[in-house]
Amino acid sequence: RIPGGTWPCTVGFGPRVCASVQFFGVGAMEAFYGCYLLESCKPGFKHRTYIGFTMDPRRRIRQHNGEISAGAWKTKRWRPWRMVLCIWGFPHKVAALQFEHAWQHPAISRHVRGEAARLSFVRTWRRGKFVRQREVQGVKQNLQVLLKMLSLSPYCRMPLRLHVF
């Protein structure tokens, strides 16, 4: 136990970071909020990627690969998956979820769309009064979006950490 009432936590690739959670008067435990990039290992579908949010990366990849139940139905067709990278250090869960949405929809997110328009592979079209975006495919292109996002506000001011597998 660390002085001040917090418990050290690890997830295998670094300390858990972010908001503190109170557990039955035992003290505060730091929570992990992260976003990750998956790449399909299925032959013929190497370009297929998936971006998500998690509080437990090990459990989440097992869900995506069908080893344990609950969730991950959207990625079932392209199993198995490998985790390419995980980014964490968000101050709270909402910030991580907003980051996930911006990473999935760079042409639509207000924090990213100006810079994302400069990336040739980010395409949009208008349907009525709504703007739609073509999904960004491939590890290289998603990594380009991520690096662009990390240079922009508010993400450049967050103490984010990146782990590449």
Side-chain angles (χ1 to χ4, degrees):
R1 185 171 178 171
I2 298 172
T6 60
W7 294 88
C9 302
T10 59
V11 184
F13 50 82
R16 291 185 182 195
V17 183
C18 298
S20 294
V21 181
Q22 192 72 28
F23 286 99
F24 308 108
V26 174
M29 179 181 269
E30 294 183 24
F32 178 95
Y33 303 116
C35 293
Y36 58 89
L37 175 64
L38 298 181
E39 177 184 35
S40 176
C41 296
K42 187 174 184 177
F45 293 95
K46 292 284 185 182
H47 68 282
R48 178 59 73 173
T49 55
Y50 179 81
I51 294 167
F53 161 83
T54 187
M55 293 175 71
D56 186 348
R58 284 187 182 151
R59 179 176 171 79
R60 194 66 181 129
I61 189 66
R62 291 180 65 216
Q63 287 175 321
H64 281 291
N65 285 327
E67 295 173 25
I68 54 177
S69 62
W73 61 271
K74 191 174 180 182
T75 58
K76 192 174 185 177
R77 283 178 60 186
W78 301 283
R79 288 179 183 161
W81 293 91
R82 76 174 189 91
M83 195 169 284
V84 176
L85 62 88
C86 185
I87 183 164
W88 78 98
F90 297 96
H92 45 78
K93 185 177 181 179
V94 172
L97 289 168
Q98 288 173 338
F99 184 90
E100 174 201 20
H101 184 269
W103 195 6
Q104 291 170 338
H105 307 95
I108 298 170
S109 172
R110 70 184 174 96
H111 293 298
V112 185
R113 65 181 168 219
E115 289 294 318
R118 296 184 179 148
L119 299 171
S120 62
F121 53 84
V122 177
R123 305 261 166 83
T124 60
W125 71 93
R126 187 171 286 283
R127 177 174 281 166
K129 61 181 179 178
F130 299 105
V131 176
R132 303 284 183 199
Q133 176 197 312
R134 182 174 161 241
E135 188 175 348
V136 176
Q137 288 292 330
V139 172
K140 183 179 175 184
Q141 292 179 347
N142 276 295
L143 192 55
Q144 286 178 297
V145 172
L146 175 66
L147 294 175
K148 185 69 73 176
M149 287 175 63
L150 293 176
S151 70
L152 301 172
S153 180
Y155 311 117
C156 65
R157 294 191 309 263
M158 292 182 188
L160 299 177
R161 298 180 72 186
L162 178 67
H163 181 85
V164 179
F165 295 93

